[in-house]
Structures are given as C-alpha cells and as structure tokens.
Amino acid sequence: MHVIRPYGDTMDDGKVQLSFTLPVSDGARGREAARKLVLSWGFKDCEVVHSAPLSDEFSFYVAYGKTESSVDYDAMVADQASADASMTMDEVNEYIRREIGRKVVVVGACTGFDAHTVGIDAIMNMKGYNHHYGLERYSDLEAYNLGAQVPNEKLIEFSAKVNADAILVSQVVTQKETHVHNMTEFIELLEAKGLRDRFVCVAGGPRIGNKLAVELGFDVGFGRGTYADDVATFIVKKLAEKKRL
Amino acid sequence: MRTKLHLPKDRVDYARQLARKISAPVADFMDRHSSVTVERATLRLAGADGANADGIPVPNLVVDQIRAVDPVLLEDGATIRYVNALVKSGDSVEALNVRIADGFNVMSLPLGDRAAIEEKAAELVLSSSSRIKDNRAHRDRKLEEFRDRNHKPLLYLIVATGNIYEDVKQAKAAAEQGADVIAVIRTTAQSLLDYVPFGPTTEGFGGTYATQENFRIMRAALDEVCEKEKRYILLTNYASGLCMPEIAAMGALERLDMMLNDSMYGILFRDINMYRTFVDQKFSRMINAHAGIIINTGEDNYLTTSDAFEKAFTVLASQFLNEEFGFRAGLPAKLQGLGHAFEMDPTIKNGFLYELSQAQMAREIFPEHPLKYMPPTKFMSGDVFKGLAMNTLFNFVSKATNQGIHLLGMLTEAVHTPFMMDRYLAVENATYVMNSMEDFYDDVEFRKDGIIVRRAHDVLDQTISFLEEVEAIGMFDSIERGLFAEVKRPKDGGKGFEGLVNKGPDYYNPFEENLKRELGLVK
C-alpha cells in the first residue's frame, strides 16, 4: 500500500489548482458560485483567488482546493503500449535484419475527413520530431506516408498493394467522437475483406490511448509523447512474434 | 522606414525580379483557362444561389447542365447560358434560381439575341459590383469612425464549434474580450468539396461550413459588437480549397474583411491540382481586390511540416511568389497579409533572436503589407504553462517588429479546440505584452554585425538561391520535383484537375472583364 495525495508544499496537503468558466457575469455572486461548485466536487476547502469577466454573460475563475481523496499507487495499472523501453533507430534496423530478414513495409495515413498531418508526419517523415527520426529514415523499413483525409478503403487498398506489414492510422480530431467512428470503420472494413490478420494495426493521436485502440480492434494505440522509435519497436517485435508462431 | 537589418536593396529587388520571371509562364496559363469553380463564382456574382432538394447548389446545377450537353460548351463560359435563361424566360434572378433548383435546365433554351444577353449581363455586373463597392464603403466608413480603436497589430481569434449559432456566441465573447479579427474556421472536409453548401449549418467537424448564409449570420452578429465596443471587428474565412473563387465571391457579397488565400497552399498541402489552383487563386484574388478584402497567405504551413530554422528561406520565397501572384491579380500591397510563423524548436539556443530577425526581415522587405504572424503550434504540448510562456515570446516578437495581423496563440493548442477562457488568457497576455512595449519598435535597433542582422542576410541569400533554382527549372516542374515543402505533386495529378476549363475563342465573362477594368488589369 502506497497512499498518495496531491502535493502543494507539504506532504498530503492535497492542494489542487483549478480554472474554469461559468456562464454568469463576473462579481461576488459568481465567485461564491465558483466556490460552492468546487466544494461540491468533494474538496474540503476552496479559495477563489481570481475572477474576471469574459463577456457580459461569462466569467473566468482560478481557484485552489484541498482534497482528502487518495489512491493506492501500488494498485495502479498503466495504459501503456509496452512496458519495455523502446529501441533506437539503429537497434530497430539491426533487429529487423536479425529477426525478420527482409525490409518491413509500413503504410500510414490520417484517415477520414481529418486534415491534420502533424501526427503522422511526426512519426513518419524523414525529419521526425524532437530529434527522433521518422520511419522514412529507417534503412530497413519501407515507409509510405499517404498524408491526410485518406478514406479507410483507400488506405487498405494501398496497403494490400504494397504488401504492408503494418498500417498506421492517425486521428487528431476527436470532436463528436469522429475518431472512434473512423477507427471502427477501418477495422470493420479489414475484417469484411478478411485482411485483419495480415497487418499489424497501429492507431495514434494525441487523444488515442492504448486501451481505446485495443478495444476497437487495433493491436496497439499510441498517445501523446510517442516517437517513431516507440512505434517501430512495437511493430518489429510484433512481427517477430507473429513469425515465431 | 528606418532599416535595422541593412538588407541590400539590390538583392531584394533581384528576388522580386526572380518571382516575376517565375510567375510569368504561370500567368500565361492562367489567362488562357477557367475552371468549374471560376464559372460558378461568376454565376454567384450574377445572382445564382440556392440548392435543389439533394443539396446541390444552383451554380453547380447550371455548370453541370452545360457540361452534360457537351463539355466543350463550357469553353464559352457559363454566364451566357444563365443570362440567356433570364432573358428568354423574363424571370427575376430569384425566380430562375427556384426553377433551376426544381429541375429546370438552362440548356433547354436555345441561345437568343446576343445584344439582349449582353445588356442583361451588364445590368447584373453593375448590380453585384455596386453591392461589393457599397460593402467596401461601409467598411471604410466604420474603420474611419472607430479609428485608433483597434489593436496594433490586429488581434486575431478563431472560433470553431461546427454550429454557426454557437460560433456567434463565442465570436461575440471573443470580440468583447478584445479581438479585432474573428475567423470562423471551416469544417475539416470542406476544402475538398467541389461545391459550397447552402444555408445555415449546425454540424461540422473541427469547424463550421463556409456558406453564404453563415457569413451573413456572423457578419450581422459582429456588426452589433462593433457598435457596442466602438471597434470595427473584421470577419475572416477561407477562400481556399476547391472553391476558392466562389468563397471569395460570397465573402465579397457579405462583407467579409479577410480571406485565407494562398497561391500554392492547395497544391502542396491539400493535393489539389496545380493548374486548377493557379487558375482559381487568380480569380479569387481579383474578387478579393475588388472587395477590399485582405488576404492571409499560408507560409506558416511550410514551417509546421519542415524545420522552421533550416527552412526559413521557403517562407520568404513563398512570400515573394504570393506577392507577385497578388500583384498580377490586382491586389495591392496593403491587402496582402503575407504569412509567417513563430515555429522554431524552443530548445534552439538563441531561437528568440532568430525569430525576431526573421519577423523584422519580413517587415522590412514587405513594408506596406499587413503581415500575418502565426503563433507556435508544432512544439506546443500538454504543458499549458510552458505554452503560455512560448506565446508570450511570440507576442513580444510580433510587437517588436510591428506585425500587421497577430493570430493569438492558445495555451491549450495541443489539447483541444479553444475554451472561452483560453481565448481570454491569450488576449490578456497579448495586451499586457504589447502595452508594456508600445514604442519598442521605434526605440530599439540591432547591432550591425550581431546575430539578428546576420541571420536575416543569410535567409535572404538562401531565398535567392532557391528562387534561382526554381526559375531555372520552371514553376510547374519545381512543384513536380518537390522543391516546395518537400512534397512532389504531378502536373496532372491531384484533386480537381477535371474541373479545369480551356477558355475558347468565344469565352464570355463580363464579370471578369469588369473586375479587370476596376483593377486596372486591362492593358
């Protein structure tokens, strides 16, 4: 048992910083409403330290609350794709040569109407992101980045054509659950074509978790803070595992 | 303007000459071609509006009717058939629109007396042109009435709920918080639609459909705020994608004040056919110029896809090209909001000095242009506190270099579409920074051999080398070979290629002729 609470400046003081908007005009009554709201969330103590009008009908609050709630840290199970540390680019290339013995083909796209290439580019483009080279730079990978607004149908068709080992589906827009819809359609299409087992299916995006992705039928989901090395490591290990079966 | 960077004038002039040479063959091509959306934009200026029961807009119905008889017929332009139907039926524009939406085919009427058609067309040209001029005069009047009430640079905020009525609430709040410019971001799919939806819309993803009715609703709402705040609020939308000129036409008719409008963005970042894009951007820019609409170009996109330090020259090169294509469409410098962005990796040593240098460089090379400066997005993270700090530096550079249009960065850029309070914090940050350094621009100079000055000279040199390469290869081939933004676009590939139209010997477009006259583009 390892009980933890938020830490302000003293162990277990339970201090939490909050900011939010209320659909009322700014003033003493609004601040009282903000304080009562915070207390209603179970905080034992609340100080509204700042308020400001956003318009005649909206106001902004900054508040500090004190919570007595705690969790047992030892009982936590993280939603992570892999507990192991990812290999570097060179290690991945070496692993492919040793364990797979041919080039690994990866196709990626941002699907549906989602126009954001930033995620798939960070993972795939030569340059990569934040000093982690993208998959296009890997000598033992053949990477195709189809860009954004790619229909699921087209992505699957292309992947089959180039004999892909893995398909990366990027989803950035999550408004109105479009990502769930898109990802579900992708897996259903693959299954309808009897192609699901042919590919390692990877989902990614700032608000994609491994849990969600696996629930929707992907092999894995990568969220915020993922680099190409993480994705490449997962794909090649999965392929080696499949090969051994 | 006093120079702080001492850029050699002959080198800057040379870069402009290169841009002129590069764009010349493209301009020839543009003059010889139209497109389905140019024709539809023309029909919209003539008054074609509405949609049938399946939601297909009347301008599309007319163009499709002509193409269905014989694709070659569109080489004469679509206007003649629409005006012919007006003359022959004696219908008003409104009545004809309703009939077309109900299934009437303009091709069912043979072409009548040419003189009668031309007379009717002249009347329609005058009517739309007067409406656009009235809009322009109204804007000028309000800007004069509320002069000195806007921020410098103009503070630009985006709303994006998907529902125009919800957008109105957010936009009014944003304007009351201090925004000078409101942009209604479009739904993600719209740039690739080859039609403009009709009527008010309440469902979009990551944005709201650009429709003429949505434009009207937002304009009316912002006009109310203008009176209340005693500040003119500029309304912005996106004349980009497959319907560039139609959206420009709608914006001109509904008094939008700015349009995102880039000569190459669609080609590079949306995979729209290059010929189609060049033709469309020209006509859209002529309309924008006539309407006094400030365009915002999309150079920031070069930096979000490539490294902002290494590829700084691609921004300047694109600015020169956008400027030249703008001039060729009659768009004066004061309507050219050339874009650039604060996108360098925050871990780069002296990154701030480089950003300051490049922003100052844009200011000095394009002195009359209302430069559009974009905030950090690529290196924004879930650390909203760090994000706020990055935006503070961005605000500093913008004010220190006297930018024209300042898109406010959101501390939650990497987390979600902005909450109302995120916009408030952005305005608070910007007004704090900008007030505290009001006269910084006039007061501070840079060391002649320092990092800031040297960086600008380097970027200009790299830009000139790049433009020389493009000039030698040719524009179309350069795009095909991937010289821009590291993407290769085949000449006959991309979306919308089939919508390109040759202008035949009898091509008739009195609206285009009028625009050319108004803009002084007729020799």
Side-chain angles (χ1 to χ4, degrees):
Chain A
M1 215 31 192
H2 178 189
V3 172
I4 55 167
R5 290 187 183 82
Y7 180 100
D9 66 354
T10 309
M11 189 55 78
D12 280 338
D13 61 10
K15 286 294 173 72
V16 175
Q17 190 181 39
L18 299 151
S19 61
F20 51 90
T21 299
L22 292 179
V24 295
S25 59
D26 183 39
R29 207 167 151 198
R31 284 191 291 279
E32 180 58 12
R35 196 181 70 84
K36 283 276 166 60
L37 253 179
V38 173
L39 292 176
S40 79
W41 298 330
F43 289 97
K44 291 300 159 203
D45 196 8
C46 169
E47 197 183 347
V48 176
V49 297
H50 178 68
S51 78
L54 298 186
S55 72
D56 290 347
E57 295 148 33
F58 290 93
S59 45
F60 172 62
Y61 301 87
V62 179
Y64 284 83
K66 177 182 168 60
T67 180
E68 287 177 359
S69 301
S70 63
V71 291
D72 176 10
Y73 185 66
D74 289 340
M76 296 299 116
V77 182
D79 176 20
Q80 264 173 355
S82 163
D84 307 333
S86 292
M87 295 185 279
T88 64
M89 178 173 78
D90 292 340
E91 288 165 358
V92 168
N93 287 330
E94 165 61 28
Y95 186 90
I96 293 172
R97 288 194 290 272
R98 196 177 62 236
E99 302 287 333
I100 302 171
R102 61 170 173 82
K103 274 204 172 189
V104 168
V105 182
V106 181
V107 178
C110 184
T111 58
F113 285 138
D114 197 338
H116 297 80
T117 55
V118 50
I120 196 72
D121 285 349
I123 301 300
M124 297 198 74
N125 276 8
M126 195 67 86
K127 173 90 192 166
Y129 181 72
N130 207 5
H131 310 294
H132 294 255
Y133 288 131
L135 301 182
E136 288 174 355
R137 175 96 62 164
Y138 286 56
S139 58
D140 291 84
L141 282 179
E142 203 174 313
Y144 298 92
N145 181 356
L146 305 190
Q149 298 190 329
V150 177
N152 282 317
E153 184 84 36
K154 210 175 150 193
L155 174 60
I156 294 170
E157 199 181 293
F158 185 87
S159 303
K161 198 178 82 189
V162 299
N163 244 322
D165 294 294
I167 307 179
L168 312 187
V169 172
S170 170
Q171 291 285 282
V172 176
V173 173
T174 53
Q175 212 173 23
K176 296 177 186 136
E177 302 286 316
T178 40
H179 62 308
V180 174
H181 171 80
N182 255 334
M183 289 162 67
T184 309
E185 189 197 77
F186 172 76
I187 295 294
E188 282 173 355
L189 265 172
L190 270 183
E191 281 170 351
K193 291 171 188 285
L195 295 173
R196 175 63 189 88
D197 294 336
R198 241 177 87 178
F199 308 111
V200 175
C201 296
V202 181
R207 287 175 289 286
I208 306 290
N210 185 47
K211 194 160 154 253
L212 173 76
V214 171
E215 266 170 28
L216 296 179
F218 284 76
D219 290 297
V220 67
F222 287 103
R224 193 180 296 289
T226 302
Y227 296 113
D229 356 20
D230 305 314
V231 176
T233 300
F234 179 87
I235 291 171
V236 298
K237 288 202 169 166
K238 189 82 186 171
L239 286 173
E241 186 185 304
K242 272 172 117 177
K243 201 179 154 204
R244 280 194 291 269
L245 287 177
Chain B
M1 191 177 63
R2 212 170 52 213
T3 175
K4 302 183 186 188
L5 297 172
H6 318 286
L7 294 167
K9 186 178 175 301
D10 58 329
R11 295 285 283 166
V12 174
D13 291 345
Y14 175 54
R16 281 205 164 86
Q17 274 168 30
L18 286 169
R20 206 162 307 138
K21 279 191 202 164
I22 290 167
S23 63
V26 183
D28 280 346
F29 184 89
M30 296 186 302
D31 289 340
R32 288 184 282 112
H33 290 83
S34 176
S35 74
V36 285
T37 182
V38 167
E39 294 308 314
R40 297 192 304 248
T42 307
L43 291 171
R44 284 179 185 277
L45 291 174
D49 198 8
N52 72 6
D54 294 328
I56 303 175
V58 167
N60 288 65
L61 289 170
V62 174
V63 167
D64 292 348
Q65 286 168 359
I66 298 170
R67 284 196 131 185
V69 172
D70 182 354
V72 174
L73 284 176
L74 208 53
E75 295 188 356
D76 296 345
T79 315
I80 193 159
R81 293 290 171 171
Y82 184 76
V83 178
N84 181 58
L86 283 172
V87 172
K88 284 236 157 150
S89 65
D91 280 346
S92 67
V93 165
E94 294 75 19
L96 179 63
N97 289 342
V98 171
R99 285 215 292 141
I100 292 170
D102 287 344
F104 172 70
N105 190 332
V106 297
M107 297 306 283
S108 64
L109 300 170
L111 276 184
D113 177 41
R114 180 76 184 199
I117 291 174
E118 289 186 6
E119 191 186 329
K120 182 70 189 173
E123 181 194 308
L124 297 173
V125 166
L126 184 65
S127 155
S128 74
S129 190
S130 316
R131 177 165 164 186
I132 291 168
K133 283 180 184 165
D134 287 349
N135 282 342
R136 194 171 176 159
H138 180 91
R139 179 195 303 121
D140 289 344
R141 222 166 32 244
K142 285 291 164 190
L143 283 170
E144 177 57 27
E145 181 185 344
F146 302 139
R147 70 178 177 282
D148 299 330
R149 295 279 300 163
N150 284 108
H151 296 94
K152 281 183 192 159
L154 296 169
L155 300 183
Y156 177 118
L157 280 171
I158 291 172
V159 296
T161 70
N163 178 332
I164 188 63
Y165 301 106
E166 203 64 37
D167 283 344
V168 161
K169 283 184 213 159
Q170 300 246 349
K172 284 170 105 171
E176 284 175 26
Q177 284 155 31
D180 301 289
V181 185
I182 297 292
V184 181
I185 208 167
R186 289 194 303 177
T187 178
T188 47
Q190 190 166 3
S191 62
L192 300 182
L193 295 181
D194 213 340
Y195 66 93
V196 181
F198 176 74
T201 67
T202 54
E203 287 207 1
F205 298 108
T208 306
Y209 282 102
T211 72
Q212 195 166 338
E213 183 60 15
N214 286 351
F215 285 4
R216 202 192 55 73
I217 292 168
M218 185 58 84
R219 178 74 272 168
L222 293 182
D223 279 349
E224 275 175 36
V225 186
C226 291
E227 296 305 321
K228 190 176 157 203
E229 299 286 315
K230 303 285 172 218
R231 193 171 75 242
Y232 188 70
I233 311 292
L234 294 89
L235 176 58
T236 303
N237 211 285
Y238 296 68
S240 61
L242 284 168
C243 294
M244 263 180 161
E246 285 179 272
I247 295 192
M250 288 157 38
L253 294 170
E254 301 301 337
R255 189 166 37 86
L256 267 73
D257 308 290
M258 284 188 193
M259 282 286 180
L260 273 79
N261 184 267
D262 192 281
S263 56
M264 291 167 67
Y265 170 83
I267 306 168
L268 301 173
F269 303 105
R270 285 288 178 270
D271 195 15
I272 294 173
N273 177 261
M274 62 172 90
Y275 297 115
R276 167 81 179 258
T277 297
F278 283 125
V279 168
D280 290 352
Q281 62 87 31
K282 163 102 188 254
F283 198 66
S284 69
R285 285 179 172 193
M286 284 164 57
I287 296 172
N288 287 332
H290 183 41
I293 289 174
I294 297 171
I295 64 159
N296 292 186
T297 59
E299 280 80 2
D300 50 299
N301 293 284
Y302 291 92
L303 302 183
T304 47
T305 47
S306 303
D307 185 87
F309 182 81
E310 287 168 18
K311 297 288 179 180
F313 69 89
T314 63
V315 168
L316 182 55
S318 171
Q319 288 170 334
F320 279 123
L321 292 169
N322 261 315
E323 179 192 50
E324 179 56 30
F325 281 118
F327 287 154
R328 286 183 185 274
L331 201 66
K334 66 174 177 149
L335 294 181
Q336 295 187 7
L338 299 177
H340 58 136
F342 185 100
E343 286 282 15
M344 278 185 214
D345 184 336
T347 61
I348 294 179
K349 192 171 180 177
N350 285 324
F352 177 82
L353 301 190
Y354 301 133
E355 296 283 15
L356 191 63
S357 168
Q358 288 168 208
Q360 179 67 22
M361 176 185 71
R363 180 71 291 158
E364 293 193 9
I365 294 177
F366 305 101
E368 293 169 37
H369 309 57
L371 298 173
K372 163 86 171 290
Y373 200 28
M374 302 287 282
T377 59
K378 194 176 173 179
F379 289 94
M380 293 293 276
S381 69
D383 182 354
V384 296
F385 305 101
K386 168 85 175 285
L388 193 65
M390 286 163 67
N391 285 332
T392 306
L393 288 192
F394 162 69
N395 291 338
F396 185 102
V397 171
S398 187
K399 185 68 179 176
T401 57
N402 203 11
Q403 300 295 307
I405 305 157
H406 180 83
L407 196 146
L408 288 167
M410 293 294 128
L411 78 165
T412 52
E413 168 71 32
V415 185
H416 49 229
T417 49
F419 287 174
M420 193 185 273
M421 62 194 190
D422 301 340
R423 295 200 192 91
Y424 160 80
L425 290 168
V427 173
E428 280 289 293
N429 183 337
T431 47
Y432 156 62
V433 169
M434 293 177 184
N435 176 63
S436 75
M437 50 184 295
E438 178 64 34
D439 292 314
F440 185 96
Y441 181 76
D442 290 327
D443 217 56
V444 175
E445 292 185 1
F446 305 138
R447 232 180 69 192
K448 259 192 170 162
D449 58 347
I451 296 171
I452 296 171
V453 169
R454 270 186 287 130
R455 170 70 182 167
H457 286 248
D458 289 348
V459 174
L460 178 61
D461 286 343
Q462 287 174 323
T463 303
I464 287 171
S465 307
F466 176 70
L467 288 173
E468 282 173 337
E469 194 184 350
V470 173
E471 204 258 324
I473 296 173
M475 185 66 148
F476 297 121
D477 288 305
S478 295
I479 297 172
E480 196 163 60
R481 292 194 206 169
L483 261 67
F484 291 96
E486 298 167 82
V487 290
K488 295 175 183 171
R489 299 298 188 200
K491 288 178 193 165
D492 55 359
K495 302 169 184 92
F497 183 47
E498 69 291 344
L500 198 64
V501 176
N502 280 312
K503 282 184 179 173
D506 295 324
Y507 181 73
Y508 177 62
N509 191 334
F511 292 87
E512 185 183 30
E513 287 161 26
N514 180 61
L515 283 169
K516 284 185 171 166
R517 262 194 314 275
E518 292 278 350
L519 299 170
L521 292 172
V522 198
K523 305 228 162 56

